């Protein structure tokens, strides 16, 4: 009988031990003084959580952390690193009027996070408040200063007892990546702060480990902003070097760098950016590029975004009937519709008086108009200024002596023509053929020599 009682107690004990497992979430409590809005966002890896503050600036939330590591906490325009793992019961407080210096943590995980908060304050005081002096140092002094900074943080890290082992290993690697990032950025920053545009670092300034670094560490990509920046720049530089000036006609073969990217999050980030550049209705390879991106992307939100953009653009490819504008105000008097110009090529410039890049194209546009004066092409500039800025448009057309046909859209960004052409940024240039069909929904800018090549290729 005693045997069975003992066995029952053992089973009960084991059950209790099992129930004491680490929770599959972290508890985060915050108190923000002088909040600038009612939101806090925590993101990194596959985590993206938007938390609503209470009226007193406080909040409590539970976060399911799939991978322990360093995440980003954002409030308004300020951000800080925060180390999170399941099982934490972490409290923090800050005042937005002195964000970094006021940030303090309590509870489970506070040692790691107070270290990160103090690291940010120290980095700001050593580097960012003295950027001119810091980046103007010569190579030897700069490298020595970086070693001093690394040793300072190592000393602080090693002086803290009972740190989380994963955090200790992660931050030890991060200190090396921080130093490598500053070394990599030295040449550019030294040129700027020393006003020496011809400066070049010596051959042995960049260590061999950095020159030969292969960016294949997914954990470091999440946990180190320095590593992430270096990895991302490496991939994007290679892609744009391959593309050159041909991003408007980018093909899958020119994007094959993505095949060798071993970090899924890095590949997603690269595709998220490059997709916005090369996924254009003016790109004859758009469908193939879209299919290629979809085969590589692992983030469902990005997959949906790419799919939505493709569906939005596919009706705007070459040969499709152009969307129409109807009865737009003509600066010379009366109104004009796109249908009035049938029988001519129409080069449409969508712009606004407040748009700097738009105004930068004006001299080139005048030159192209002059070159094709009397040819079978109409140059139409369509302003999407708000109705309240109508007077500014009238005056700028006069003061800049703008040529071609100058029109004013009927409802700025909400004009049917603008929406149907999926225009989300300006300047945007469109070429329509004499039959009213699209030649390019994203034609080269006037400053781009490829525009004249396109016109001449069409026999205009």
């Amino acid at each position: 009988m005693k045997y069975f009682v003992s066995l029952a107690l053992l089973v009960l004990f084991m059950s209790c031990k099992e129930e004491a497992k680490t929770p599959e979430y972290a508890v985060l409590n915050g108190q923000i003084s002088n909040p600038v809005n009612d939101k806090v966002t925590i993101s990194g890896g596959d985590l993206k959580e938007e938390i609503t503050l209470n009226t007193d600036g406080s909040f409590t939330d539970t976060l399911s952390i799939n991978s322990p590591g360093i995440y980003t906490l954002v409030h308004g325009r300020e951000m800080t690193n925060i180390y999170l793992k399941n099982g934490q019961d972490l409290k923090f407080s800050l005042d937005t009027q002195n964000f970094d210096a006021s940030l303090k943590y309590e509870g489970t995980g506070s040692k790691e996070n107070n270290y990160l908060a103090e690291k940010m304050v120290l980095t700001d005081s050593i580097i960012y408040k003295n950027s001119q002096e810091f980046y103007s140092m010569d190579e030897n002094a700069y490298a020595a200063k970086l070693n001093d900074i690394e040793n300072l943080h190592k000393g602080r890290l090693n002086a803290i007892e009972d740190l989380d082992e994963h955090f200790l290993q992660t931050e030890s690697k991060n200190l090396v990546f921080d130093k490598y990032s500053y070394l990599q950025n030295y040449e550019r920053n030294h040129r700027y702060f020393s006003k020496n545009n011809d400066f070049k670092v010596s051959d042995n300034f960049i260590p061999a480990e950095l020159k030969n670094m292969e960016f294949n560490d997914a954990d470091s990509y999440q946990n180190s902003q320095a590593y992430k920046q270096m990895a991302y720049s490496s991939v994007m530089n290679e892609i744009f070097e391959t593309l050159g000036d041909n991003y408007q006609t980018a093909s899958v073969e020119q994007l094959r760098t993505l095949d060798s990217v071993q970090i899924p999050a890095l590949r997603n980030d690269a595709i998220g950016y490059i997709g916005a550049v090369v996924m254009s209705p003016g790109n004859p390879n758009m469908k193939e590029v879209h299919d290629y991106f979809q085969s590589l992307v692992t983030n469902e939100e990005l997959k949906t975004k790419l799919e939505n953009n493709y569906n939005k653009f596919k009706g705007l490819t070459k040969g499709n009937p152009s969307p129409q504008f109807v009865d737009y105000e003509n600066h010379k008097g009366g109104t004009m519709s796109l249908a009035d110009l049938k029988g001519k090529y129409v080069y449409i410039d969508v712009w606004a008086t407040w748009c700097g890049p738009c105004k930068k194209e004006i001299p080139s546009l005048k030159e192209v108009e002059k070159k094709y004066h009397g040819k079978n092409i109409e140059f139409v500039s369509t302003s999407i200024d708000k109705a309240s800025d109508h007077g500014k448009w009238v005056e700028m057309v006069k003061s800049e002596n703008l040529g071609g046909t100058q029109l004013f859209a009927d409802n700025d960004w909400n004009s049917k023509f603008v929406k149907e052409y999926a225009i989300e940024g300006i300047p945007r240039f469109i070429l329509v053929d004499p039959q009213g069909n699209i030649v390019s929904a994203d034609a080269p800018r006037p400053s781009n020599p490829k525009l004249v090549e396109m016109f001449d290729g069409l026999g205009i």
Side-chain angles (χ1 to χ4, degrees):
M1 182 69 180
K2 288 181 181 180
Y3 170 77
F4 289 110
V5 171
S6 298
L7 182 61
L9 288 171
L10 177 62
V11 171
L12 178 63
F13 174 75
M14 291 177 67
S15 299
C16 291
K17 293 291 283 184
E18 288 176 355
E19 289 174 3
K21 284 181 179 178
T22 300
E24 295 183 357
Y25 56 85
V27 178
L28 183 62
N29 296 276
Q31 179 65 58
I32 300 179
S33 300
N34 301 304
V36 298
N37 58 39
D38 66 346
K39 301 293 181 187
V40 165
T41 302
I42 298 173
S43 61
D46 56 1
L47 175 68
K48 187 170 184 181
E49 188 84 11
E50 186 175 79
I51 303 168
T52 301
L53 303 180
N54 298 319
T55 55
D56 64 352
S58 66
F59 73 86
T60 299
D61 205 350
T62 56
L63 305 170
S64 179
I65 310 298
N66 291 333
S67 176
I70 298 176
Y71 293 80
T72 302
L73 183 150
V74 177
H75 177 66
R77 299 178 65 180
E78 298 279 2
M79 60 167 284
T80 188
N81 291 329
I82 182 169
Y83 181 73
L84 296 172
K85 64 179 293 187
N86 288 335
Q88 285 179 335
D89 188 354
L90 185 63
K91 303 176 181 65
F92 78 86
S93 60
L94 64 85
D95 187 334
T96 61
Q97 295 183 355
N98 195 7
F99 192 98
D100 294 336
S102 67
L103 182 58
K104 295 290 183 290
Y105 292 90
E106 297 177 1
T108 316
S110 60
K111 290 181 179 181
E112 294 78 10
N113 282 296
N114 281 324
Y115 163 87
L116 289 176
E118 290 164 14
K119 179 185 177 184
M120 185 168 286
V121 172
L122 283 170
T123 301
D124 186 59
S125 65
I126 296 170
I127 298 175
Y128 299 115
K129 287 185 178 177
N130 302 288
S131 297
Q132 180 77 39
E133 178 184 346
F134 182 73
Y135 289 113
S136 295
M137 288 190 284
D138 65 34
E139 287 184 3
N140 292 333
Y142 183 82
K145 187 67 172 177
L146 291 182
N147 286 333
D148 289 344
I149 294 171
E150 182 184 18
N151 290 331
L152 169 67
H153 292 311
K154 275 183 180 177
R156 292 177 53 244
L157 196 62
N158 294 330
I160 303 172
E161 296 181 357
D162 301 322
L163 275 179
D164 177 84
E165 187 60 32
H166 176 266
F167 176 81
L168 183 60
Q169 293 175 2
T170 297
E171 180 59 15
S172 296
K173 290 199 307 184
N174 286 357
L175 291 177
V176 177
F177 296 142
D178 290 345
K179 181 170 72 172
Y180 281 173
S181 178
Y182 285 117
L183 288 171
Q184 195 175 74
N185 293 328
Y186 172 68
E187 183 175 275
R188 182 188 67 241
N189 288 328
H190 185 79
R191 285 178 179 176
Y192 175 80
F193 285 102
S194 69
K195 312 301 181 188
N196 181 3
N197 292 329
D198 298 323
F199 173 77
K200 280 189 148 321
V201 297
S202 35
D203 292 340
N204 61 352
F205 178 74
I206 302 295
E209 310 89 74
L210 176 54
K211 287 180 181 177
N212 301 321
M213 184 176 286
E214 294 184 5
F215 296 101
N216 52 19
D217 186 343
D219 285 340
S220 292
Y221 191 79
Q222 173 184 317
N223 292 311
S224 168
Q225 284 298 318
Y227 184 91
K228 184 174 186 176
Q229 177 261 322
M230 291 188 294
Y232 182 78
S233 295
S234 175
V235 171
M236 299 307 292
N237 288 343
E238 187 172 344
I239 288 174
F240 278 106
E241 187 175 336
T242 302
L243 288 177
D245 294 330
N246 298 319
Y247 62 89
Q248 286 181 309
T249 57
S251 66
V252 170
E253 288 308 309
Q254 292 173 308
L255 299 167
R256 286 293 181 189
T257 293
L258 294 166
D259 290 346
S260 60
V261 176
Q262 298 181 38
I263 303 173
L266 170 55
R267 192 167 55 236
N268 291 339
D269 287 343
I271 290 173
Y273 181 86
I274 199 71
V277 177
V278 303
M279 283 282 292
S280 158
N283 186 350
N285 305 306
M286 183 176 66
K287 184 183 186 308
E288 291 78 7
V289 169
H290 160 265
D291 293 346
Y292 174 62
F293 284 165
Q294 290 288 29
S295 73
L296 296 177
V297 168
T298 58
N299 179 283
E300 290 302 319
E301 185 178 344
L302 179 55
K303 273 182 176 285
T304 300
K305 183 178 179 181
L306 289 168
E307 191 66 27
N308 290 342
N309 283 343
Y310 173 70
N311 289 332
K312 183 168 59 178
F313 292 150
K314 66 183 180 181
L316 297 171
T317 52
K318 184 176 181 179
N320 282 306
S322 172
Q324 300 289 304
F325 59 79
V326 179
D327 292 338
Y328 279 8
E329 178 187 347
N330 191 330
H331 190 273
K332 294 176 182 176
T335 62
M336 178 174 281
S337 303
L338 182 58
D340 297 334
L341 300 170
K342 201 163 186 179
K344 291 184 176 183
Y345 283 97
V346 185
Y347 183 65
I348 304 168
D349 167 18
V350 182
W351 73 295
T353 59
W354 48 261
C355 169
C358 301
K359 291 186 281 190
K360 192 175 179 181
E361 290 294 326
I362 289 174
S364 298
L365 180 57
K366 287 181 176 180
E367 286 297 316
V368 176
E369 288 175 348
K370 183 178 177 182
K371 181 178 175 66
Y372 290 91
H373 181 71
K375 305 287 187 179
N376 190 37
I377 183 168
E378 188 81 15
F379 291 89
V380 176
S381 294
T382 301
S383 165
I384 58 169
D385 279 290
K386 294 183 181 298
S388 58
D389 290 328
H390 180 271
K392 291 181 181 178
W393 168 71
V394 171
E395 288 306 311
M396 183 172 285
V397 173
K398 289 179 181 176
S399 63
E400 295 290 337
N401 195 26
L402 301 183
T405 300
Q406 298 291 327
L407 304 181
F408 196 81
D410 57 359
N411 195 17
D412 53 81
W413 288 100
N414 295 309
S415 298
K416 187 170 181 284
F417 179 78
V418 172
K419 286 182 169 294
E420 289 184 347
Y421 259 111
I423 296 173
E424 296 174 349
I426 54 175
R428 175 78 170 269
F429 297 90
I430 300 161
L431 183 62
V432 178
D433 72 15
Q435 290 73 46
N437 298 319
I438 298 169
V439 176
S440 176
D442 191 10
R445 297 184 178 194
S447 58
N448 188 338
K450 291 187 179 298
L451 179 63
V452 170
E453 291 179 21
M454 176 182 282
F455 286 175
D456 291 348
L458 293 167
I460 296 175

